[in-house]
Amino acid sequence: MVRWITIIVLSIVLVGVGVWGYKENQDKNAVLLQAENSYQRAFHDLTYNIDLLHDKIGSSLAMNSREQLSPQLAEIWKISSEANTDVGQLPLTLLPFNKTEEFLYNIGDFAYRTAVRDLEKKPLSEEEIGKLEQLHEQSGEIEKELRKVQNVVLNDNLRWMDVQLALATNDEVGDNTIVNGFKTVEKSVESYEGDTTQVGFGEATRDKPFADLSGKEMSEKEARETASKWLEKVDPQALTVTKSGEGAEVPTYTASFQKGNKNGYIDLTEKGGHPLTIMINRPVGEAEISLYDASEKAKKYVQGLDIDELTLIESSQYDKMGVFRFVYTQDDIRYHSDAIVVKVALDNGEVLGMSARDYFNYHTDMEVNKPEITVEEARDKINPNLEIQEEHMAVIENDVKEQVLTYEFLTTMDQTTYRIFINASNGEEEKVETLKKAEMKFNQDV
């Protein structure tokens, strides 16, 4: 009897295991099929968008009407964005494909910045037309190579899951047509490198990041000592210090610490030991100090940067934290790209964070043209329903990444504060910002 019960139980278990295994296999196959379909769709969409991109660029070169050129360039920007999204959905993480992605970004950036500018006043230059011709030729090469891959994929019924497996295992056995095809695409882009990586025109954003870093190269010991001072005098020996690898945008040291329920880190530039990012985490208690008192702590803290002119332009409260934004000021002109943000705990006034990366990235000496309209003319451009509280000169980065001189107006309406920037050359409204409701302290210069 026991023997029969055992046999029945084992049979049920075996059947159960078989059913479970079958279901697991079915589920796995369904997931693989879904992934394969997703990869196939992304690849064919990419091929289609590159075809379309090549045609649209060609059409733009043939156009003589500026009214038609702007929407055409806007369409090119849209298509290049979609193509970049398609690339991101392919299993190419382990395959270097950054040159092609950079190419698509450059096309989109060029097209967008050209589409939104006034082509009547500032038509395409000979250099820009030359760049557009190069982009057209390059997109044609990519189109041709992708079409070759697509032909083989369709004719031989190739699977993208095999590509993913080959890339993940570094499998070099056999001739992986898809991988080889994409390597050819990447090489065809590299052959144009130097011609299209900077598709520039007009007064673009300063393109030499961290160009004005001062000071000498720091040793690890010096970095440890400097980090200790910024991290509220954490014991230098308690810090873990690492150096950035090759290819970093700017060589840095990162120092971190862990002490009970408090931890933090700082990124310092190897040249000069300038702090780019500071972050300290700990439980923050109920607010005991005002936002204004916290701003005084923040101003004292940024004095350690040895920057001559910083202006506190915004104070905001987020829960138990005060957040303060400073900008570099020279000759009464505020440079909004050269910004520093400081975070202060409102329980005891301890600085828990600072981001100075934008300042050290963008800051450089630059010539500023004189305004072509008066402040009175700029003031007339402001909505009459707004009450103007302050006005300044400011340099900002506009939507097309140009540095422009503006009149900056701090205004209020219905208990809401707005910062409005009017172009000092043509009187156009460049940007409108809504400021958080907080203890706004104006004219607080460091």
Side-chain angles (χ1 to χ4, degrees):
M1 181 70 177
V2 174
R3 181 169 171 243
W4 281 107
I5 292 174
T6 303
I7 291 172
I8 292 170
V9 169
L10 287 174
S11 299
I12 293 172
V13 169
L14 286 172
V15 170
V17 169
V19 171
W20 176 82
Y22 176 77
K23 188 175 185 305
E24 281 288 298
N25 189 56
Q26 289 290 95
D27 291 344
K28 179 183 176 183
N29 287 337
V31 170
L32 292 175
L33 181 61
Q34 185 177 3
E36 178 65 28
N37 289 339
S38 177
Y39 292 151
Q40 291 284 357
R41 178 191 53 75
F43 170 65
H44 294 297
D45 283 353
L46 172 64
T47 306
Y48 171 76
N49 280 324
I50 293 294
D51 284 354
L52 199 56
L53 197 60
H54 182 242
D55 292 343
K56 293 288 184 181
I57 295 173
S59 299
S60 68
L61 285 168
M63 284 180 178
N64 193 37
S65 167
R66 292 176 187 135
E67 290 79 7
Q68 292 295 321
L69 185 56
S70 286
Q72 182 81 348
L73 289 167
E75 184 70 12
I76 290 171
W77 168 68
K78 175 176 173 287
I79 295 166
S80 65
S81 298
E82 290 174 354
N84 235 331
T85 301
D86 295 333
V87 173
Q89 293 175 357
L90 292 172
L92 300 173
T93 313
L94 303 176
L95 176 66
F97 209 57
N98 54 302
K99 295 297 179 187
T100 303
E101 291 177 291
E102 185 180 352
F103 161 74
L104 291 170
Y105 171 80
N106 282 333
I107 287 183
D109 186 53
F110 173 84
Y112 174 78
R113 291 199 287 167
T114 310
V116 298
R117 88 182 191 216
D118 189 341
L119 291 174
E120 281 291 337
K121 295 179 180 178
K122 199 173 181 182
L124 289 178
S125 66
E126 290 298 321
E127 181 185 358
E128 289 171 329
I129 293 172
K131 293 290 185 185
L132 206 53
E133 288 172 347
Q134 290 173 5
L135 292 172
H136 182 245
E137 185 179 350
Q138 190 173 4
S139 62
E141 288 294 318
I142 295 175
E143 175 190 28
K144 183 172 68 175
E145 295 301 330
L146 283 178
R147 279 297 184 193
K148 287 180 184 177
V149 177
Q150 188 181 47
N151 252 356
V152 179
V153 167
L154 293 173
N155 290 337
D156 297 349
N157 198 26
L158 299 180
R159 297 188 334 136
W160 278 90
M161 294 306 297
D162 296 334
V163 176
Q164 189 176 35
L165 180 63
L167 291 173
T169 59
N170 293 317
D171 183 12
E172 298 295 337
V173 178
D175 179 27
N176 193 308
T177 306
I178 295 178
V179 173
N180 292 338
F182 272 88
K183 285 180 178 178
T184 304
V185 170
E186 188 74 350
K187 284 180 181 177
S188 72
V189 177
E190 284 180 355
S191 67
Y192 288 84
E193 191 174 6
D195 291 333
T196 58
T197 52
Q198 290 294 330
V199 185
F201 56 85
E203 298 298 322
T205 300
R206 291 161 282 185
D207 58 0
K208 292 183 179 179
F210 305 100
D212 283 1
L213 289 179
S214 60
K216 62 182 182 64
E217 302 291 322
M218 294 183 71
S219 66
E220 183 178 317
K221 181 182 178 182
E222 290 171 323
R224 189 180 294 273
E225 294 291 337
T226 303
S228 173
K229 294 174 184 176
W230 285 104
L231 293 171
E232 301 285 274
K233 297 183 179 178
V234 174
D235 180 3
Q237 301 311 312
L239 293 171
T240 300
V241 179
T242 57
K243 192 174 180 180
S244 61
E246 291 185 14
E249 185 179 32
V250 56
T252 59
Y253 286 102
T254 297
S256 59
F257 75 92
Q258 175 75 52
K259 186 177 180 182
N261 60 0
K262 185 176 181 179
N263 62 76
Y265 74 91
I266 178 172
D267 290 331
L268 294 166
T269 61
E270 184 180 357
K271 182 179 180 182
H274 304 289
L276 299 182
T277 306
I278 298 172
M279 187 63 68
I280 298 173
N281 297 303
R282 67 162 174 83
V284 179
E286 294 301 318
E288 298 288 341
I289 67 173
S290 70
L291 195 64
Y292 176 75
D293 289 338
S295 74
E296 294 297 306
K297 298 272 188 180
K299 286 192 284 183
K300 185 176 180 180
Y301 193 76
V302 297
Q303 285 175 356
L305 294 168
D306 293 327
I307 299 171
D308 292 334
E309 297 290 339
L310 287 176
T311 302
L312 174 61
I313 66 165
E314 188 173 347
S315 303
S316 304
Q317 182 172 341
Y318 297 89
D319 196 15
K320 303 167 186 176
M321 294 283 186
V323 179
F324 308 96
R325 184 165 170 247
F326 300 84
V327 295
Y328 175 69
T329 305
Q330 184 180 36
D331 299 329
D332 294 325
I333 300 175
R334 296 176 171 185
Y335 291 79
H336 281 257
S337 295
D338 301 6
I340 295 168
V341 178
V342 179
K343 184 169 69 173
V344 178
L346 297 180
D347 56 356
N348 63 4
E350 180 184 9
V351 173
L352 295 185
M354 180 174 74
S355 175
R357 181 173 289 271
D358 281 349
Y359 174 84
F360 290 109
N361 186 1
Y362 286 105
H363 182 69
T364 186
D365 292 330
M366 62 180 294
E367 293 184 7
V368 178
N369 296 328
K370 291 183 179 180
E372 296 179 26
I373 65 171
T374 65
V375 66
E376 290 78 15
E377 290 172 319
R379 200 182 292 126
D380 289 340
K381 305 291 183 179
I382 301 296
N383 186 325
N385 295 321
L386 294 169
E387 184 177 345
I388 297 174
Q389 303 292 334
E390 288 186 20
E391 53 195 36
H392 307 275
M393 296 300 297
V395 172
I396 65 169
E397 183 178 276
N398 65 11
D399 289 341
V400 295
K401 299 183 179 180
E402 295 173 341
Q403 297 289 326
V404 293
L405 180 65
T406 66
Y407 288 101
E408 172 188 341
F409 294 96
L410 202 66
T411 67
T412 56
M413 182 176 65
D414 297 333
Q415 298 183 328
T416 301
T417 304
Y418 302 92
R419 184 180 285 119
I420 300 174
F421 299 93
I422 302 296
N423 191 303
S425 295
N426 55 29
E428 292 180 0
E429 191 175 72
E430 289 286 350
K431 187 182 295 186
V432 177
E433 296 175 351
T434 302
L435 303 187
K436 301 292 182 183
K437 293 181 180 179
E439 291 179 40
M440 296 303 300
K441 300 292 182 181
F442 307 123
N443 296 320
Q444 297 293 329
D445 294 352
V446 176

